Amino acid sequence: MVSCDQLSSAAAASDLLGVSSAAIDPQLRNLNSFNDDDRKIDAAGGTTCIWGSETAANPESTDASHLTVRVLPNAASAWDTLAGFYPDTSAPGAEYDGYASRDDYCSADRTGASCATNVLVGHTWLAVGATSYAPGSLTPESFRSAVITMIPAVEKLGDVAPATGADPLRAACYADGYAAAVATSFGVPQASLAEIENMFRVEAAVGLRPGSQFCPYQPSVDGSGGFVASLTVIPTATTQFAEYRQLLATQGIPATELPLTSAGSTVTGVGRSFTSYGTARYTFDFLSEDAWVSIKTTDGPAAPAHSAAFAQWVLDHG
């Protein structure tokens, strides 16, 4: 695993963004976000690093200058697969120190600029994004130079063996029975698997690892009705789940623990409510063998009971 200080620094980010920047804990951002992308990357043996202005620590901030770097080993196969799935969002870009890139762009207006790229360094996916609200600071040239300085640290990763371990829920959430259980648990007439976001992203590559799963469900079979719940499975994540629970405790984040029993064994689920982008959210997480299972919903006041019901079903049938 590569460390953040091998990739960049607060000083380098400040120069790139044109504002005073500091390192930001991505896990703290995740506490107030409805995704666990960075946790999934971490559990897959990767690294997420964020530097930015003081307001960048708030994931809902719309005017925060920040630099985000994500590194995911063993992603060459996922890179090719996603490029085939989503050719419109994975157009080949410039080379960075001899390595190919995809979805490579920079744009600017009178308020600032944004740049992003994905570079395949051997078998490792390097995703870099920067946004600056200091007009004239972030340019295609300065962004390119910043990315190139990161490549030597990524090259040293070489070909890291993929994570292995218990896989109690392999491919399970794609089965029709899971959608039916969502409908029953969340009190909707029917549910089906929704299409996964059509984008070439390193976060999507994590879901292509053996044992990883991401299943979003819609409260219909015709694509209408929006979102009802999602189920994410991250294999070999015992340590990361323990760190998540510790983070909730140290940050004083209100959470409720609920024991779930299946086949004579008891696991502890952790549920918490929060607001993200003006919408009430709820997430329920538990450990099944060594897999981190996360259920997310916007189900309002009934979310805790409905999520626990679905979690119980998953334990009984996974």
Side-chain angles (χ1 to χ4, degrees):
M1 181 183 296
V2 64
S3 64
C4 291
D5 60 6
Q6 293 174 300
L7 295 166
S8 190
S9 65
S14 298
D15 289 343
L16 178 67
L17 302 174
V19 298
S20 178
S21 301
I24 295 169
D25 187 344
Q27 306 305 329
L28 292 180
R29 282 174 57 91
N30 276 335
L31 289 178
N32 296 305
S33 173
F34 201 49
N35 66 68
D36 55 8
D37 293 337
D38 297 317
R39 283 188 273 150
K40 288 190 286 187
I41 290 173
D42 182 48
T47 302
T48 297
C49 310
I50 305 173
W51 297 267
S53 61
E54 185 176 352
T55 54
N58 178 0
E60 298 197 45
S61 176
T62 59
D63 59 354
S65 298
H66 63 278
L67 168 66
T68 300
V69 182
R70 294 184 172 99
V71 177
L72 182 65
N74 287 334
S77 175
W79 173 283
D80 292 338
T81 298
L82 289 171
F85 283 170
Y86 308 131
D88 292 341
T89 55
S90 61
E95 286 194 350
Y96 287 79
D97 212 16
Y99 294 104
S101 75
R102 289 185 179 273
D103 195 20
D104 180 80
Y105 73 89
C106 276
S107 63
D109 57 27
R110 61 183 180 82
T111 64
S114 292
C115 295
T117 191
N118 300 275
V119 185
L120 188 65
V121 182
H123 289 263
T124 300
W125 189 322
L126 169 64
V128 184
T131 297
S132 171
Y133 288 91
S137 177
L138 178 63
T139 66
E141 294 75 21
S142 65
F143 179 74
R144 177 180 175 81
S145 296
V147 174
I148 288 175
T149 65
M150 302 172 190
I151 288 177
V154 180
E155 286 178 321
K156 293 178 181 178
L157 287 175
D159 297 334
V160 182
T164 59
D167 192 8
L169 299 171
R170 177 184 292 273
C173 65
Y174 288 88
D176 291 341
Y178 273 67
V182 168
T184 300
S185 300
F186 288 89
V188 295
Q190 53 192 355
S192 62
L193 194 64
E195 288 189 13
I196 297 176
E197 185 180 19
N198 182 359
M199 290 185 69
F200 179 82
R201 303 185 308 146
V202 67
E203 298 92 320
V206 180
L208 298 178
R209 296 176 65 238
S212 296
Q213 297 290 313
F214 173 64
C215 291
Y217 299 98
Q218 57 199 6
S220 65
V221 294
D222 61 3
S224 63
F227 168 81
V228 60
S230 68
L231 175 65
T232 301
V233 181
I234 310 169
T236 59
T238 302
T239 299
Q240 287 77 17
F241 183 71
E243 291 172 349
Y244 168 68
R245 294 185 65 181
Q246 181 64 28
L247 188 63
L248 292 177
T250 58
Q251 296 299 314
I253 305 296
T256 301
E257 294 191 351
L258 178 69
L260 302 172
T261 301
S262 180
S265 299
T266 299
V267 302
T268 299
V270 180
R272 64 183 183 90
S273 301
F274 58 99
T275 300
S276 179
Y277 295 98
T279 300
R281 318 282 194 175
Y282 183 79
T283 181
F284 188 82
D285 298 83
F286 62 94
L287 204 64
S288 175
E289 298 185 24
D290 70 350
W292 183 345
V293 184
S294 184
I295 296 166
K296 295 179 172 62
T297 185
T298 55
D299 199 27
H306 290 176
S307 298
F310 184 46
Q312 185 65 63
W313 189 94
V314 169
L315 274 175
D316 291 341
H317 296 83

